[in-house]
Amino acid sequence: MTLSRRGLFALALMPVLAACSSTVVPMPGPGAGLSPPQLTQGAILAAINGTRARYGKPPLRYNTQLESAARVQARLMASKDQLSHDLGLSLHRRVVDSGFVGASGENVAGGQRTLEQAIAGWLNSKGHRETLLSTRFEEFGLAVAAVPAGKNSRYGIYWAFIAGGPYSAWN
């Protein structure tokens, strides 16, 4: 399959999953009465790659650049209290700004108190499932952010997963 530059750009906007932090993903303070748990890189890798293994998929490597792009998105969603892939910064722009070069995809979620719940939601959505389990991606980053304390919120907690890999995997 051959994709044009336009096709690759459209592909970059598709829902996908992403990475985690280098040692500990910085978790936000309480927001709307919710506070996500501390997640180590090891715990994130175990959750994502454990899920992939259950479906016969190879593990993904952790990437701090993709985590940075995911963190921007999670914080944007929490600050605006909106679940969306584009809140003024497209996936492409966030990934490029993080320094990552390659194809990317993103999964977002809102309201889940644990990473396992976010993953379960992604698995129950065809497009997000495809991103999470794609063999075309080789690495990922993940971030979570909470709406500031005292603010009424629809979801309270927002998750962003960004997966990345070589453009050549899409040719």
Side-chain angles (χ1 to χ4, degrees), residues 20 40-54 60 115-116 119 140:
C20 48
T40 64
Q41 181 181 340
I44 293 168
L45 282 166
I48 295 297
N49 288 332
T51 299
R52 289 176 60 83
R54 283 193 302 279
L60 298 174
L115 177 55
E116 290 74 16
I119 291 170
F140 77 101

Side-chain angles (χ1 to χ4, degrees), residues 35-164:
S35 180
Q38 288 287 323
L39 295 172
T40 64
Q41 181 181 340
I44 293 168
L45 282 166
I48 295 297
N49 288 332
T51 299
R52 289 176 60 83
R54 283 193 302 279
Y55 291 90
K57 306 301 180 188
L60 298 174
R61 293 184 310 273
Y62 175 77
N63 182 294
T64 57
Q65 293 170 319
L66 293 173
E67 178 213 346
S68 176
R71 187 179 307 114
V72 168
Q73 183 61 15
R75 288 179 177 170
L76 273 172
M77 290 188 297
S79 71
K80 296 183 180 207
D81 198 21
Q82 290 182 341
L83 184 62
S84 176
H85 288 281
D86 188 350
L87 293 171
L89 285 173
S90 68
L91 171 60
H92 177 74
R93 177 82 274 147
R94 286 182 279 115
V95 169
V96 167
D97 288 351
S98 78
F100 182 80
V101 176
S104 61
E106 176 176 68
N107 284 352
V108 297
Q112 296 81 0
R113 291 179 178 250
T114 67
L115 177 55
E116 290 74 16
Q117 290 172 346
I119 291 170
W122 292 329
L123 288 171
N124 287 321
S125 165
K126 184 178 187 267
H128 292 92
R129 179 187 185 97
E130 288 173 1
T131 298
L132 180 61
L133 300 178
S134 175
T135 57
R136 293 178 176 178
F137 294 119
E138 298 176 350
E139 47 200 330
F140 77 101
L142 181 129
V144 59
V147 171
K151 181 178 177 188
N152 286 335
S153 172
R154 180 171 179 188
Y155 296 107
I157 297 174
Y158 292 90
W159 300 85
F161 169 94
I162 300 174

